[in-house]
Amino acid sequence: MTTATVPRGIGDALTDLPVGHFIGGHWTDDPTLQPVENPATGEMIAAVADADAGTGMAALNAAVAAQESWAATHPRARADLLMRAFDLLHERADRIATLITLEMGKPYAEARGEVAYGAEFLRWFAEEGVRGGGDYFRAPAGDQRIVVTRQPVGPVYAITPWNFPLAMATRKIAPALAAGCTVVLKPAPQTPLTALEFMRVLADAGLPAGVVNCVTTSNAAEVSTPIITDPRLRKLTFTGSTVVGRLLLAQASRRVLRTSMELGGNAPFVVLESADLDKAVAGAVLAKMRNTGQACVSANRFLVHESLAADFGDRLAAELSRLPVGDGLAPSTRVGPLIDSAAVDRVEGLVRDAAERGAQVRTCAEIGSGPGYFVAPAVLTGVDPESRVWREEIFGPVAPIRTFADTEQALAAANDSEAGLVGYVYGENLGETMRFAEGLQTGMCGVNTGIISEVAAPFGGVKASGLGREGGSAGLDEYLEVKYIGVAL
């Protein structure tokens, strides 16, 4: 990955920040504030409004009031708005990328990449939204005609995580707007600044009042529960942990809400005997270290053929040791901080548990005693399959490795998880590699590639990793209801 020079200072990015809720096309002025912290320094960089249940309901009221007129807006007008927002995101990429790095910690070069990736959802769904879809045909018996059309689901509640604060918002809001749905967005409390800045982008692009609303809060349950249980809400979309996803699904079931759930992962990264080791190591670095390992698609469990395992482990450790760790605003940084102190405690606990069960820990960087929430990249070998680091999603720069003797053994180990979001497999024997990919119990698979996310592809998992798909043409379908009209002639 190339480094990027930060073009402006921190003060420039934090100047004229929107810090209130965005409801009904207006910014609120709230007396109750919550701090926003820079995970690289532990310092507070801003304070934003802290919503209560009443604020959340005001946002839902605004979305409901705007739903009928937005659904009636013709698709080309909705697409034009998304394209104006696409252009504005690129015009403001420096500022937004700096905000992402400040509040989330990822290296600035990755933050710039997130802005470009997030913007692509606006362009993709602007194009998808005008293509339409439906059917008209004669019923098999009789003179009746069957008309099949699609209509907006209705008001949407979108809950986004902290690890991709722009891209996860655009991945939900863009298809909702293209389909004719209004939205209430609740970003993660750790990263509200990017979401609020995106609201300003939408407003400047000409978004009608109430079509997208945003509330920031430190008490998700207090704000979310009344919204989810309100009969006027028609869809819930959430990206986050499986634990929280299960709770939200239970709430949504009472109202029989449409749901899209992109939940936790535990991605296997499998290196078959036929793999090209140069490709596999390079792919492992990409799949493991993107966003300092804080991504649901991060490689979590490394399964390497026993003939390649020692060399693979040595080379992966060497590559990780070359990645500079530090503040994401430093141009050379490749590994940023974790999101907060609780994340550091959890990752360090996973490594300790593995070591106590016999794993060999090879630390691949030196972390100083200064401020910030940093964890040294590490490679673990000889990992017990019952170790927490093997069974749980790591969300950090730690690579546990186990070996296997044959592909059947590897496939069984790879599928031995309740998660089923993504997997990776490397091998030069195309038939064997493709059969392995097809046998993985995951919603997505990367074959000889460590990067799987693509705007034009359906993103989502199976088993406990979620329901529905985001991106691709399937991403628009999530916000549309299929309606059948029978016509007697």
Side-chain angles (χ1 to χ4, degrees):
M1 177 186 295
T2 58
T3 59
T5 301
V6 181
R8 300 190 297 179
I10 293 175
D12 295 322
L14 296 177
T15 299
D16 189 31
L17 277 177
V19 295
H21 309 295
F22 186 67
I23 299 175
H26 303 286
W27 297 100
T28 64
D29 186 11
D30 296 81
T32 305
L33 300 176
Q34 57 176 321
V36 181
E37 190 179 45
N38 180 348
T41 65
E43 297 175 345
M44 189 179 89
I45 55 174
V48 301
D50 197 357
D52 58 15
T55 309
M57 290 309 296
L60 179 60
N61 291 341
V64 170
Q67 177 59 51
E68 184 176 355
S69 62
W70 183 246
T73 301
H74 59 81
R76 178 60 67 193
R78 300 196 296 251
D80 288 346
L81 183 143
L82 289 171
M83 286 307 303
R84 289 194 296 272
F86 169 85
D87 291 336
L88 287 173
L89 273 183
H90 280 286
E91 289 176 15
R92 303 174 187 181
D94 293 344
R95 174 183 172 90
I96 295 172
T98 304
L99 280 179
I100 291 172
T101 296
L102 283 171
E103 66 177 349
M104 190 266 134
K106 70 177 61 178
Y108 179 78
E110 289 193 31
R112 280 299 301 261
E114 182 180 344
V115 175
Y117 175 58
E120 282 302 312
F121 286 106
L122 302 176
R123 177 158 64 174
W124 173 263
F125 285 110
E127 296 167 343
E128 285 290 292
V130 299
R131 291 178 181 145
D135 210 344
Y136 175 87
F137 57 97
R138 184 173 181 172
D143 293 328
Q144 186 170 339
R145 298 299 186 267
I146 295 172
V147 179
V148 181
T149 186
R150 301 192 298 173
Q151 297 178 335
V153 169
V156 174
Y157 187 40
I159 304 174
T160 53
W162 48 260
N163 55 344
F164 290 90
L166 178 68
M168 296 303 97
T170 60
R171 194 160 78 178
K172 297 178 187 302
I173 291 173
L177 296 186
C181 300
T182 59
V183 180
V184 176
L185 172 68
K186 190 203 77 62
Q190 299 93 329
T191 55
L193 300 178
T194 303
L196 293 173
E197 192 69 20
F198 180 50
M199 294 301 104
R200 178 149 60 186
V201 166
L202 290 174
D204 291 348
L207 182 79
V211 173
V212 179
N213 309 273
C214 181
V215 293
T216 57
T217 183
S218 62
N219 192 335
E222 179 185 358
V223 172
S224 297
T225 298
I227 295 175
I228 294 171
T229 56
D230 191 291
R232 299 172 299 170
L233 186 76
R234 292 314 313 145
K235 180 174 174 66
L236 169 66
T237 175
F238 169 75
T239 297
S241 72
T242 299
V243 171
V244 175
R246 286 187 169 117
L247 295 174
L248 293 173
L249 280 169
Q251 287 184 315
S253 68
R254 298 171 196 154
R255 299 296 322 166
V256 196
L257 285 179
R258 282 279 296 272
T259 59
S260 298
M261 293 278 157
E262 196 265 281
L263 306 179
N266 189 2
F269 187 103
V270 182
V271 182
L272 299 176
E273 186 176 15
S274 66
D276 180 314
L277 212 52
D278 290 337
K279 293 180 184 177
V281 171
V285 174
L286 289 173
K288 177 72 261 183
M289 297 306 295
R290 182 186 183 195
N291 211 25
T292 316
Q294 298 174 110
C296 57
V297 294
S298 291
N300 209 70
R301 298 170 291 148
F302 289 82
L303 288 158
V304 186
H305 190 271
E306 58 188 11
S307 67
L308 304 174
D311 197 7
F312 177 86
D314 289 343
R315 293 172 65 172
L316 179 59
E319 290 298 318
L320 297 188
S321 69
R322 297 188 183 102
L323 303 180
V325 180
D327 190 323
L329 289 177
S332 63
T333 294
R334 288 286 308 278
V335 182
L338 300 191
I339 188 63
D340 54 29
S341 60
V344 173
D345 292 343
R346 183 177 178 280
V347 172
E348 290 180 344
L350 294 177
V351 174
R352 281 196 304 272
D353 173 75
E356 290 168 359
R357 295 173 184 265
Q360 295 76 53
V361 180
R362 186 184 306 184
T363 303
C364 302
E366 293 295 329
I367 302 297
S369 59
Y373 307 122
F374 294 94
V375 169
V379 172
L380 280 58
T381 56
V383 176
D384 187 318
E386 296 305 314
S387 298
R388 288 178 55 211
V389 77
W390 194 260
R391 310 303 302 183
E392 301 177 19
E393 190 172 23
I394 299 169
F395 247 59
V398 177
I401 299 174
R402 289 179 56 205
T403 65
F404 64 89
D406 58 66
T407 54
E408 290 79 9
Q409 179 188 23
L411 186 60
N415 288 335
D416 183 21
S417 172
E418 71 166 5
L421 185 60
V422 63
Y424 304 90
V425 56
Y426 275 74
E428 295 301 300
N429 181 326
L430 182 60
E432 177 188 52
T433 306
M434 286 301 298
R435 284 191 294 272
F436 195 98
E438 291 172 355
L440 278 176
Q441 296 170 0
T442 58
M444 302 175 287
C445 181
V447 174
N448 291 329
T449 179
I451 297 293
I452 193 68
S453 298
E454 165 57 54
V455 170
F459 187 104
V462 298
K463 300 196 291 188
S465 286
L467 304 167
R469 294 296 182 267
E470 295 183 310
S473 59
L476 187 63
D477 292 340
E478 295 287 331
Y479 296 86
L480 293 166
E481 295 282 14
V482 175
K483 185 171 186 177
Y484 151 59
I485 302 172
V487 182
L489 299 181

